[in-house]
Amino acid sequence: MTVDIEQAASVLREAYDTATPCPPLRGGLLPEGDVDTAYAVQQAQVRHWTREGRRPVGAKIGLTNPAVQASLGVYQPDFGVLFADMAVDDGAEADLGRLLQPRVEAEIAFVLGADLPYEQVTVADVIRATDHLLPAIEIVDSRVADWDISIVDTVADNASSGLFVLGTTPRRIADVDLRLCGAVLEHAGEPVSVGAGAACLGNPAHAVAWLAATLAAAGRPLRAGDVVLSGALGPMVPVTPGAAYEARISGLGSVRTRFGDREETS
């Protein structure tokens, strides 16, 4: 099939701009299972947004849980680009008007203090390059109606990115047990998702090493100052309008966000 990269990117951007979900791209605008073409669509969107003045500040890793990978028929993570205007202050209200069908998950954010330009990256490289860690909530979203996604759909849609919330309690990587650190995401004081670092490719540092090598091979290496959301520590949870969520991660502290009612954002 003939693929029009810009047309596929335009369909997704229209969904962003009009707050109207679009049909899946796979099997129509994009070939089934063609991840490379999906990343080309993602990059077309990134170029467009950068020209419009949005500032890239890092990357997010998705599909770090083997069960989620299996559900989409893939056996590696994916990634998307973080922009400065996606950041929500700790404790502040996330704008539901910018989101279509949001879900939340607890993650560990790596903030780099050095470049990672290598195509072969070790965990030691990641540890040495990390300036500090922060607790984070990723607000994932999909422009594809009813979350009816494959790997192609989510990659093209900037890895189903929405917004993100970073905590303000930086921790040294040497002081955190990344594999065993527990995480709980709470709503109204009740746990709605629990997990641990081992759920993220066995260790969140493994996920960051994979991303660093992948981006270096593509000629877009991670740089000092980049924020990397390393992947979910537990199951993602659909957002309830009007609700507040708090993620607590052992050794890292907590981070929180809240959502207004849909009626207030219209």
Side-chain angles (χ1 to χ4, degrees):
M1 64 181 292
T2 301
V3 178
D4 188 329
I5 300 296
E6 293 298 334
Q7 181 186 3
S10 177
V11 167
L12 289 167
R13 287 199 302 273
E14 183 176 1
Y16 272 101
D17 296 340
T18 64
T20 303
C22 64
L25 303 180
R26 67 185 185 280
L29 291 173
L30 298 179
E32 294 271 5
D34 190 341
V35 178
D36 289 342
T37 298
Y39 275 118
V41 174
Q42 182 188 122
Q43 279 301 298
Q45 295 206 77
V46 170
R47 288 192 298 270
H48 175 89
W49 288 325
T50 303
R51 288 194 300 268
E52 288 193 334
R54 299 183 72 186
R55 181 171 70 90
V57 294
K60 59 153 287 184
I61 308 170
L63 302 182
T64 53
N65 185 293
V68 176
Q69 291 179 1
S71 72
L72 294 180
V74 296
Y75 299 96
Q76 67 177 30
D78 70 348
F79 65 86
V81 177
L82 299 178
F83 291 90
D85 62 2
M86 293 164 59
V88 179
D89 290 340
D90 186 11
E93 182 175 305
D95 184 2
L96 267 180
R98 296 180 59 185
L99 303 164
L100 296 180
Q101 39 195 351
R103 302 177 178 184
V104 289
E105 54 192 27
E107 303 200 11
I108 296 174
F110 289 63
V111 182
L112 300 184
D115 297 350
L116 278 170
Y118 321 112
E119 293 188 27
Q120 297 180 351
V121 180
T122 68
V123 168
D125 294 326
V126 171
I127 292 171
R128 185 173 58 249
T130 299
D131 184 77
H132 60 275
L133 305 173
L134 293 170
I137 294 174
E138 185 183 359
I139 304 168
V140 293
D141 199 11
S142 180
R143 270 49 62 178
V144 177
D146 301 319
W147 277 93
D148 180 11
I149 60 172
S150 71
I151 182 65
V152 167
D153 300 294
T154 187
V155 165
D157 191 21
N158 198 26
S160 301
S161 60
L163 305 172
F164 64 95
V165 191
L166 299 178
T168 56
T169 54
R171 296 287 188 264
R172 295 173 60 247
I173 193 169
D175 295 336
V176 179
D177 188 333
L178 288 169
R179 186 176 71 88
L180 295 180
C181 65
V184 59
L185 184 66
E186 297 179 349
H187 163 47
E190 296 295 327
V192 291
S193 177
V194 296
C200 181
L201 289 188
N203 188 312
H206 297 165
V208 177
W210 170 84
L211 176 68
T214 300
L215 288 178
R220 303 189 302 275
L222 291 171
R223 298 297 188 188
D226 280 349
V227 175
V228 178
L229 298 182
S230 56
L233 303 182
M236 61 182 179
V237 177
V239 166
T240 299
Y245 297 88
E246 182 168 7
R248 303 177 186 274
I249 303 173
S250 57
L252 282 172
S254 63
V255 59
R256 62 209 57 80
T257 192
R258 53 194 170 86
F259 296 85
D261 294 323
R262 279 290 185 190
E263 293 75 15
E264 295 174 357
T265 63
S266 59

